[in-house]
Amino acid sequence: MLPRWAVAALLAAGTVLLTAGPVRSLADQDEHIASYDVQLDIRADGSLEVRESIGYDFGSQERHGILRTIPVRLPFDNDHDRVYEIDEFRVTSPTGAPTEVERSEGGGIASYRIGDPDTTVTGLQAYTVEYVVRGALNAFEDHDELYWNAIGNDWDVRVERPTVTVRAPAAITAQACFAGPTGSSLPCEALGQGQGPDAETMTAGQPAGLKAHQALTVVVGLPKGAVTSTGPVLEERWTLRRALTPTPMTGSLATLLLVPGLAAIGWLVGTRGRDRRYAGLTPGIVDPTSAAREEPVPLAGAGAVAVQFTPPEGLRPGQVGTLLDERANPLDVTATIVDLAVRGHLRIEELPRRGWFSSRDWRLVRLPGGEGQLRPYEQLLYDGLFETGDEVLLSSLKKQFAARLQKVQSALYDEVTAAGWFRGRPDKVRGRWQAGGFVLAFGGGWLTFALSRQLHWAPVGIAVMLVGATLFLVGRRMPARTARGSAVLVQARGFREYIRTAEAEQLRFEEGQDIFSRYLPYAVVFGEAERWVRVFGPLAAASAGATAVGPTWYAGPDGWDADSFGDSLDGFTSSAAGTLSASTASSSGGSG
């Protein structure tokens, strides 16, 4: 019957058995281990020096060598792994067998491939394997202990005459030895200890040998304090849940980063990204006296928008669209194309379908003259459309218009900024803030990964990442209008309200001016083109500058009439905006 302390040792250390052995496919029963002598020296510092003398008989089989596998990481409890640190691993061969060592590790197992991949050996070969293990001992209240699987159960061959010798830095107070299959409590057939009260050596063996996949385990008890360090060496086991779960420290630190970070972003949006307006003046006055005072636009309660029956003076549809949403969108450029057609600089011709299921296409034709001088962004667009000739198919722009569109958008941003409507060029302001947010979020993501792998401080990195993501999201709101820009914006919104609510009777007195066509590009920018055509389309044929089949600046295929104009215009604006969007990755969305 085992002593009480040995049973306790078995129960306490049974989860940390160290198994060693080669992975070998046995093809010949002559292959076996002729002798296996293990010497374990417990050092005063608590480390374990291992020396294994293995006489491996390969028989007639040609082998490259042997494979030693040693567990270096085993589960200890719910949260930790026990780690065995293997150092000073070296191999020699008294018989001259190749002793090159190739180490690999996976699944908590260190594998040492001993031999030469270009050389084979047969017959009986001797190998001496030496290494040092740290963290192998266990500490109990009244003694220290070594519980060691000296010969592991991974050998695919039988082991003859296995012996184990343990030498300690102090007298061995108790000992035990087990042999057989995994989990066996059968004692070894031979067990001995040095004589005298200070005996520091223990020997064990199994004269009958071990069958394949059987092991030999020794247990040695030492006086408390016989070694300066025992074990186990524990490392916290990484899990996603533990990495993401905040502790009082990490939660507090994450809060200290997140709350002030979000507060700082809110302050920046309220100060740097907030529009200004003229204080004490009727909204919409663009040129007040020099003594006019400016103030931030209220976050709420700015007042209702008064309807305005004309566009802001001198503003083209592309400018209005950019002022409204702070973006030079493809829809703004599409509205500019329609505006150039209305003013006589080009004509839009709808081509007949080639088949029932074919898509529609349009031809743009350059026209001489035209109303009004073109603005810089309009000139860039006009020249870009007709770069290859006086006629161009809308579908052909998808592959060749990207660089030209970017120039048009850049010029449009320059124009609204030069007009004094924004405190900085909107796309660059937005880009700078979003770039800063992206860098911060990316850094937070990297920090989350690094801290979670090493310290389980993922909440700290997540806090930084959230601050960066928030900054990236609010970066789109950072372009800020000046007081002058806010005044023009009021006019633009008032005109948008008119486009949204006007009825046919309100336009009849102005039919001679073809208000329908003149305001149509603005309706495109406001997203109200369909309603505008539906309400005022019937007046187009009777208005000055139009024919019985629609506006003079738009030509349809055979059989086309004014009743089809609404559908045609919707198809053109959708196709044009889609074509321009497809030509560049930097544009998205729409005005209105």
Side-chain angles (χ1 to χ4, degrees), residues 316 340 343 345 371-379 382:
R316 299 297 185 196
L340 292 175
R343 289 156 55 195
H345 292 281
E371 176 188 340
Q373 184 177 0
L374 298 183
R375 297 182 181 275
Y377 79 93
E378 293 176 321
Q379 190 66 56
Y382 194 64

Side-chain angles (χ1 to χ4, degrees), residues 223-247:
K224 192 64 179 177
V227 294
T228 57
S229 176
T230 56
V233 177
L234 301 181
E235 287 188 3
E236 188 177 18
R237 187 181 305 116
W238 188 92
T239 64
L240 181 61
R241 178 182 177 184
R242 290 181 60 81
L244 298 179
T245 301
T247 64

Side-chain angles (χ1 to χ4, degrees), residues 316-317 334-344 378 518 521-522:
R316 299 297 185 196
T334 300
T336 301
I337 295 175
V338 175
D339 187 48
L340 292 175
V342 170
R343 289 156 55 195
E378 293 176 321
R518 286 173 53 192
Y522 297 95

Side-chain angles (χ1 to χ4, degrees), residues 79-424:
D79 301 325
H80 298 86
D81 289 335
R82 180 168 188 169
V83 178
Y84 296 95
E85 300 175 355
I86 307 296
D87 293 323
E88 305 176 33
F89 192 95
R90 58 188 180 273
V91 181
T92 57
S93 174
T95 59
T99 57
E100 298 177 14
V101 177
E102 179 182 337
R103 186 185 189 278
S104 61
E105 185 174 328
I109 303 294
S111 298
Y112 298 87
R113 190 175 298 275
I114 302 169
D116 187 341
D118 299 322
T119 304
T120 60
V121 293
T122 60
L124 182 62
Q125 301 292 335
Y127 296 91
T128 301
V129 181
E130 298 174 279
Y131 52 93
V132 175
V133 184
R134 290 178 173 81
L137 274 66
N138 303 299
F140 293 89
E141 291 184 1
D142 58 349
H143 71 281
D144 295 327
E145 174 191 297
L146 172 67
Y147 190 103
W148 196 251
N149 208 17
I151 299 178
N153 61 356
D154 279 349
W155 292 102
D156 288 338
V157 297
R158 72 183 188 278
V159 180
E160 297 180 353
R161 301 191 305 276
T163 63
V164 180
T165 301
V166 182
R167 293 191 299 190
I172 296 175
T173 58
Q175 61 185 19
C177 173
F178 309 97
T182 301
S184 172
S185 59
L186 297 175
C188 298
E189 295 183 14
L191 182 64
Q193 182 176 350
Q195 300 300 315
D198 298 326
E200 300 174 356
T201 303
M202 168 240 182
T203 59
Q206 186 75 346
L210 300 173
K211 297 179 181 180
H213 301 292
Q214 289 188 345
L216 192 153
T217 303
V218 294
V219 185
V220 171
L222 303 176
K224 192 64 179 177
V227 294
T228 57
S229 176
T230 56
V233 177
L234 301 181
E235 287 188 3
E236 188 177 18
R237 187 181 305 116
W238 188 92
T239 64
L240 181 61
R241 178 182 177 184
R242 290 181 60 81
L244 298 179
T245 301
T247 64
M249 177 181 293
T250 61
S252 299
L253 186 55
T255 302
L256 289 176
L257 292 173
L258 182 61
V259 174
L262 296 179
I265 292 175
W267 178 81
L268 289 171
V269 173
T271 55
R272 303 289 298 276
R274 195 169 171 186
D275 293 348
R276 309 285 292 181
R277 72 174 184 179
Y278 295 117
L281 298 179
T282 302
I285 296 180
V286 176
D287 295 310
T289 62
S290 58
R293 183 173 57 86
E294 296 185 8
E295 65 180 5
V297 173
L299 297 177
V305 176
V307 176
Q308 181 162 315
F309 299 98
T310 59
E313 184 178 359
L315 265 66
R316 299 297 185 196
Q319 295 172 294
V320 172
T322 305
L323 177 64
L324 280 173
D325 63 3
E326 304 166 349
R327 293 179 181 273
N329 291 300
L331 188 61
D332 301 332
V333 180
T334 300
T336 301
I337 295 175
V338 175
D339 187 48
L340 292 175
V342 170
R343 289 156 55 195
H345 292 281
L346 60 87
R347 183 172 65 253
I348 303 173
E349 297 179 354
E350 182 179 345
L351 302 180
R353 294 179 183 267
R354 296 181 180 180
W356 285 101
F357 301 103
S358 62
S359 58
R360 285 185 291 185
D361 201 358
W362 286 262
R363 179 169 49 236
L364 306 181
V365 181
R366 188 205 301 263
L367 298 178
E371 176 188 340
Q373 184 177 0
L374 298 183
R375 297 182 181 275
Y377 79 93
E378 293 176 321
Q379 190 66 56
L380 281 172
L381 174 61
Y382 194 64
D383 294 340
L385 290 174
F386 300 107
E387 186 176 35
T388 58
D390 291 337
E391 297 182 359
V392 62
L393 293 179
L394 181 64
S395 59
S396 68
L397 298 177
K398 181 177 294 186
K399 298 181 180 180
Q400 61 183 7
F401 200 67
R404 306 174 207 170
L405 176 62
Q406 292 175 2
K407 292 180 180 179
V408 174
Q409 291 173 307
S410 180
L412 194 49
Y413 281 125
D414 285 339
E415 186 144 344
V416 297
T417 305
W421 299 340
F422 292 94
R423 285 194 268 177

